[in-house]
């Protein structure tokens, strides 16, 4: 674990050494992490756009196979493979900041190990020199009962020191190192003493090594205690603002949300602020500074992604619309072939009986095979029967035809029957809304 954390620790220490500010180091650390992850976040958002475009097809599959979960899942997987979409790639990157928070937590709680490169034996030597046994109890870092137990374990030979590398003991011990005792401690460590330095955890008058408490007034009404208390609350407010900006950028990209995604967003709007609040009041304040910084950078990232992805979304939406149009055309051709097959058998009966059979052309809201006079004539011609004709209706023509007169001329000798009526189904000429004289 230490090998994994060390590169991040070196980055954080570099910023600390350069700016001599623990808070600025944490903020810049958050910025670097955000910049490194930006291309992956962008890729994840592109994947989410593709997922949003599939929401309509997902709903159709739900209606078609909703009762058969196994078949539904199989069809959904086929849809993902066809559209080349990874359903996990969009949400996976949203968990990365939490992973880095865990990494930073490991580094922050052990500054003597990761910032100064000291071994546990050297750390315990410092603790003994600074009278950790007395100071830790008087400062409330370790309870008297716990310290008494540690002392007994040392006496029994079970432990070598009362200082144990648990909780935030290294942070507390590091805060005990000051300019007055630094030289003596460096001499105590010998060659390793050159690694030891006074670490300043203060930022904007707040000690970032401390853990915020609800009852902040017990430490007095100073900015140090009030500011410490406010940090978790600020992180909650920034997290809410970040999520609102994310929702706005999604709307800017016209990303439609299905009910499942809407519920997920509502849940996240509740869970993320609560998590920020919990983090803020259970860990050192330095993590709250990092959490606030990464949310602020996330806001800027969302705005930039929204602008960068707007064209991508429009292109993806156009491609999806074209695919949908082609699929409908294919389905239309397939059903048209079935209609021709069945109608061909029917036309033989009509020919034997000497009956003219008229195929009515209706508007798109009733069916989509024959919507215009041109489509009707082409269909009748393909039937190849002398008894096949077209039936036109002014009600449907008013909806579909650019010119009703041209539609009649298009039908020409194939027009076998003609229904007349106003566009509200009233008798022809009762409202004079249609060009009766021209027709």
């Amino acid at each position: 674990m230490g090998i994994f954390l060390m590169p991040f620790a070196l980055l954080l220490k570099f910023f600390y050494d350069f700016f001599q500010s623990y808070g600025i180091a944490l903020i810049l650390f958050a910025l670097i992490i955000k910049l490194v992850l930006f291309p992956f976040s962008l890729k994840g958002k592109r994947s989410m756009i593709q997922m949003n475009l599939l929401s309509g097809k997902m709903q159709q599959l739900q209606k078609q196979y909703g009762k058969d979960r196994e078949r539904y899942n199989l069809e959904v997987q086929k849809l993902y493979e066809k559209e080349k979409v990874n359903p996990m790639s969009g949400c996976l990157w949203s968990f990365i900041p939490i992973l880095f928070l865990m990494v930073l937590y490991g580094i922050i709680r052990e500054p003597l190990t990761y910032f100064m490169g000291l071994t546990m034996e050297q750390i315990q030597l410092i603790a003994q020199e600074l009278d950790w046994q007395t100071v830790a109890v008087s400062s409330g870092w370790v309870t008297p009962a716990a310290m008494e137990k540690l002392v007994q374990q040392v006496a029994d030979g079970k432990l070598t020191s009362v200082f144990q590398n648990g909780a935030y003991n290294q942070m507390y011990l590091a805060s005990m190192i000051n300019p007055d005792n630094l030289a003596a401690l460096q001499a105590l460590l010998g060659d390793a003493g050159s690694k030891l330095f006074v670490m300043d955890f203060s930022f904007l008058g707040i000690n970032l090594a401390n853990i915020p408490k609800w009852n902040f007034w017990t430490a007095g009404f100073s900015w140090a205690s009030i500011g410490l208390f406010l940090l978790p609350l600020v992180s909650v407010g920034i997290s809410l603002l970040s999520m609102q900006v994310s929702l706005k950028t999604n709307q800017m990209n016209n990303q439609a949300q299905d009910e499942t995604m809407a519920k997920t967003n509502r849940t996240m709007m509740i869970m993320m602020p609560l998590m920020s609040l919990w983090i803020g009041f259970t860990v050192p304040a330095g993590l709250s500074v990092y959490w606030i910084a990464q949310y602020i950078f996330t806001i800027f990232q969302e705005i930039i992604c929204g602008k960068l992805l707007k064209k991508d979304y429009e292109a993806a939406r156009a491609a999806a619309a074209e695919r949908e149009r082609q699929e409908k055309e294919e389905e239309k051709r397939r059903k048209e072939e079935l209609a021709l097959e069945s109608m061909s058998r029917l036309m033989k009966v009509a020919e034997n009986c000497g009956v003219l059979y008229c195929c009515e052309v209706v508007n798109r809201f009733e069916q989509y095979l024959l919507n215009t006079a041109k489509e009707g004539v082409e269909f009748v011609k393909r039937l190849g029967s002398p008894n096949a004709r077209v039936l036109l209706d002014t009600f449907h023509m008013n909806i579909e035809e650019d010119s009703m007169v041209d539609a009649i001329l298009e039908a020409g000798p194939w027009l076998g029957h003609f229904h007349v009526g106003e566009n509200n189904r009233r008798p022809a000429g009762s409202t004079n809304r249609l060009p009766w004289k021209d027709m």
Side-chain angles (χ1 to χ4, degrees), residues 155-212:
D156 294 340
K158 296 179 180 179
L159 296 175
T160 58
S161 172
V162 293
F163 179 88
Q164 296 300 305
N165 196 33
Y168 308 108
N169 288 349
Q170 279 202 33
M171 293 189 71
Y172 300 142
L173 185 61
S175 66
M176 295 170 62
I177 301 173
N178 55 57
D180 296 332
N181 58 29
L182 178 61
L185 293 174
Q186 288 176 330
L188 179 68
L189 297 178
D191 293 339
S194 60
K195 303 177 184 178
L196 194 66
F197 60 90
V198 176
M199 195 162 182
D200 184 8
F201 292 100
S202 64
F203 179 64
L204 301 178
I206 303 170
N207 188 345
L208 299 184
N210 291 338
I211 300 176

Side-chain angles (χ1 to χ4, degrees), residues 310-354:
K310 192 170 182 63
K311 291 183 179 180
D312 292 73
Y313 179 80
E314 291 172 353
R317 184 174 59 179
E322 178 61 21
R323 285 196 302 270
E324 186 175 356
R325 185 193 66 79
Q326 291 176 356
E327 289 172 359
K328 286 184 176 180
E329 287 294 328
E330 181 60 33
E331 183 182 6
K332 182 176 180 178
R333 283 193 293 269
R334 183 175 59 83
K335 290 190 174 182
E336 188 175 341
E337 292 300 324
L338 292 174
L340 284 168
E341 182 182 346
S342 60
M343 287 293 293
S344 295
R345 294 196 297 266
L346 183 62
M347 291 314 302
K348 292 179 181 179
V349 178
E351 290 170 13
N352 293 335
C353 297

Side-chain angles (χ1 to χ4, degrees), residues 131-157:
D131 193 14
W132 170 259
Q133 179 176 337
T134 302
V135 177
V137 173
S138 62
S139 301
W141 301 333
V142 181
T143 63
M147 183 58 73
E148 184 177 345
K149 184 178 180 180
L150 289 170
V151 171
Q152 185 60 48
Q153 289 177 322
V154 171
D156 294 340

